Amino acid sequence: MAFVGGGSLAAGGLGMAGGTAIITGGGALLGIAGSGSASMAAILSQTNSGYWLRQTTKLLVFSKCALKDALNDVDAIKKLSSEISLTIKKVEANIKELEDEKCSLDKDAIKNSKACLKYLGKCKAELDKLL
């Protein structure tokens, strides 16, 4: 955990607490980016907009407080921004697939995916401001 947090507190990193914050504070969001489109669709259809608000907020707080202010790790912020961009593209493609299927059962998935897309876009914009 200390490694993920940028090293021990004594060495100037965020220690185990920082590592835990990284993993819980945005790891879920970025983990979705690496998942297949079928699992992404399932995740998006089962989560409401409040979830995405919380996840993107955690990621932004960690990026600002830990990566920028404490560690001055601009490269990590760039990587996060890049991953968010990839996730946005995947969500957009997923929405298009669902809309093309024209299945009434997908209405909730489309609605939740669009909410996710809104928060991801705002998160990306805020990450870019940190650079």
Side-chain angles (χ1 to χ4, degrees), residues 50-130:
Y51 173 81
W52 299 112
L53 175 61
R54 288 187 302 277
Q55 291 302 313
T56 54
T57 301
K58 289 178 191 178
L59 184 62
L60 288 171
V61 168
F62 174 77
S63 297
K64 168 80 171 86
C65 296
L67 296 178
K68 182 169 171 69
D69 295 345
L71 300 174
N72 196 28
D73 192 351
V74 176
D75 289 336
I77 297 171
K78 286 180 184 176
K79 288 177 187 175
L80 286 173
S81 180
S82 175
E83 288 296 320
I84 294 292
S85 292
L86 292 173
T87 304
I88 288 170
K89 289 178 185 174
K90 288 182 179 183
V91 173
E92 288 172 339
N94 187 52
I95 290 170
K96 183 169 177 11
E97 285 178 22
L98 291 172
E99 288 176 338
D100 289 346
E101 290 175 5
K102 296 181 179 150
C103 177
S104 63
L105 298 175
D106 291 334
K107 287 182 183 179
D108 284 340
I110 292 169
K111 177 184 168 190
N112 290 335
S113 296
K114 287 182 177 180
C116 171
L117 196 58
K118 177 179 83 171
Y119 289 118
L120 288 174
K122 289 179 180 182
C123 182
K124 167 96 171 79
E126 292 299 319
L127 283 173
D128 290 344
K129 288 180 187 177
L130 295 175

